[in-house]
Amino acid sequence: MSRLAHSTHTDPLATEVCPVCKSTKYMNPNLKFLVNPVCYHKMCESCVDRIFSHGPAPCPIKGCSETLRKNRFRRQTFEDIQVEREVDIRKKVAKVFNRREEEFDSLREYNDYLNEVEDITFNLVHKIDIENTERRFQKHEDDWREAIKENASLAQQEQMQYAEQQKAEREKARRRREEARREEIEERREAEATRKDMLRRLENGQDPEEVKKERAAVQLKKRLNKQEAADRQSQLQAADARNGSSSFVIKGLKNKKAKLEPEAPVDPFGGLTFEHRYFALQGDYVWEGLQEAKRDVLISAGGYDIASFTGRALCEAFSGLGVMVADEAVEREKLQEPEGLSTTRAEVAATDVKMEDPF
Ligand SMILES: [Zn+2]
Ligand SMILES: [Zn+2]
């Protein structure tokens, strides 16, 4: 038994077994599997024919109580049946929740809407709170029936437009290629003609230097003409793009003027400042010991910064000023009293926060 289980696990063909009639892809290479989007149980085509030809019937998979119809069976698109199911659900949700960004006044509203759509999709996919979710889904469908229809036809129009644009662009590209090919042939023909002309002139006894010079002048003129044509072409294309024949479309919110307040910069310390309350740190001090240390190469070579020493020394000197021993003693006594314990604790916590940074 364990060997059998093992073999079904390793052999990819063994997984292609119809759970109803047990025929395998190995025995019958033409075996085709179908699924029904009601319960997503997989079975072979002949089983579907046999069981569901005479109308709706219960799913033959053990433990499944769904009633299935033959016309709903279809080929599986994705190998993973969970993916197949999720894609179906997403399609179904997207058909009803098809509002567009242009319908919203602010990005916040649009994002809230998208969030709601994703919530519903997630619940349906993972079968969470199905009843409530179905109700929300139905409510949206009822409330927005007209808008849904409008947006659906709009989307269809856009798709058709897009397809047309694509076709036009392909046609344009084809014409450009043809043009380039034609030009190349023309060029080759002209080069051949020029060569023949030159030979003929040399035969007639013209000065070779003169002929060479003339040829160079003709070539230069041709090149300039070509460049001019290319410039004209690119100008035309730019004008086309300006007139909106380009496929690039910018979409956005309905009310584009509604500017949101810029968000305040993030304050990682929650308003805590590092300014010193009791002293100000100077850039330099006249104390001789400090000046000596500053001049001493042995000290400065190691990267020692005099400012870090003065800063720390001042901090240590003034630290005590933020601590009121008498107040603390009173608070400690209060803490020992059983009454109003929680409020006292809160007060102590508040003063603690203040004392954390006395400067
Ligand atoms: Zn079968
Ligand atoms: Zn089933």
Side-chain angles (χ1 to χ4, degrees), residues 19-265:
V20 183
C21 64
K22 310 291 178 203
S23 53
T24 64
K25 202 140 195 167
Y26 180 71
M27 300 297 282
N28 178 8
N30 294 329
L31 198 66
K32 283 194 187 94
F33 288 102
L34 300 174
V35 289
N36 194 309
V38 175
C39 66
Y40 290 95
H41 283 132
K42 191 169 79 170
M43 60 195 84
C44 75
E45 216 168 17
S46 63
C47 281
V48 171
D49 277 342
R50 196 182 65 243
I51 300 167
F52 301 100
S53 287
H54 307 294
C59 176
I61 306 291
K62 207 177 161 193
C64 180
S65 55
E66 297 288 351
T67 303
L68 308 178
R69 285 163 196 282
K70 194 186 170 191
N71 61 356
R72 297 284 312 271
F73 274 95
R74 59 176 167 77
R75 292 291 295 276
Q76 199 174 329
T77 313
F78 300 96
E79 197 182 350
D80 188 342
I81 206 73
Q82 292 302 327
V83 175
E84 181 92 20
R85 186 171 158 266
E86 181 166 344
V87 168
D88 281 348
I89 289 173
R90 283 190 181 276
K91 266 189 206 158
K92 185 180 130 196
V93 173
K95 224 180 233 173
V96 172
F97 286 82
N98 62 356
R99 294 187 69 190
R100 295 151 157 263
E101 196 177 348
E102 302 99 278
E103 293 175 38
F104 294 88
D105 283 326
S106 72
L107 192 62
R108 174 83 216 188
E109 281 170 46
Y110 182 51
N111 281 340
D112 284 349
Y113 166 75
L114 289 182
N115 203 40
E116 196 201 338
V117 175
E118 194 52 39
D119 268 356
I120 289 176
T121 313
F122 188 86
N123 283 358
L124 288 177
V125 169
H126 295 94
K127 296 180 181 158
I128 303 163
D129 196 11
I130 286 288
E131 208 175 291
N132 197 12
T133 311
E134 290 280 7
R135 211 178 306 128
R136 271 162 80 190
F137 186 87
Q138 198 57 45
K139 188 173 177 300
H140 182 90
E141 195 172 6
D142 294 340
D143 289 354
W144 296 87
R145 198 168 288 280
E146 284 305 308
I148 288 168
K149 240 187 259 171
E150 253 170 54
N151 279 348
S153 74
L154 211 61
Q156 206 185 357
Q157 272 173 27
E158 272 177 5
Q159 211 168 6
M160 268 158 62
Q161 255 172 22
Y162 181 70
E164 262 168 41
Q165 258 166 14
Q166 292 276 303
K167 208 174 136 195
E169 256 163 46
R170 269 201 302 275
E171 176 64 24
K172 233 192 238 171
R174 194 187 61 78
R175 253 182 288 152
R176 264 204 305 275
R177 272 201 304 277
E178 218 163 69
E179 182 86 353
R181 208 161 28 229
R182 214 164 43 77
E183 254 175 41
E184 202 184 307
I185 291 169
E186 182 81 359
E187 232 168 68
R188 229 178 286 154
R189 204 177 52 75
E190 264 177 34
E192 183 65 18
T194 329
R195 202 176 61 85
K196 270 186 188 156
D197 183 54
M198 202 173 70
L199 282 176
R200 193 175 45 76
R201 282 202 213 174
L202 288 175
E203 273 170 12
N204 292 346
Q206 275 189 19
D207 180 18
E209 280 302 315
E210 190 78 9
V211 171
K212 215 168 151 189
K213 227 188 271 171
E214 231 171 75
R215 193 185 169 199
V218 168
Q219 268 175 346
L220 183 68
K221 203 173 162 198
K222 257 189 217 157
R223 230 188 357 252
L224 284 177
N225 276 348
K226 218 188 211 169
Q227 197 163 5
E228 233 169 60
D231 283 351
R232 230 182 1 252
Q233 191 70 23
S234 66
Q235 268 170 14
L236 275 175
Q237 270 173 8
D240 262 5
R242 270 200 301 279
N243 291 340
S245 67
S246 150
S247 58
F248 185 63
V249 184
I250 297 173
K251 289 182 182 170
L253 296 167
K254 181 165 75 178
N255 189 2
K256 290 198 178 74
K257 275 172 230 145
K259 274 257 169 81
L260 289 171
E261 283 291 311
E263 273 182 46

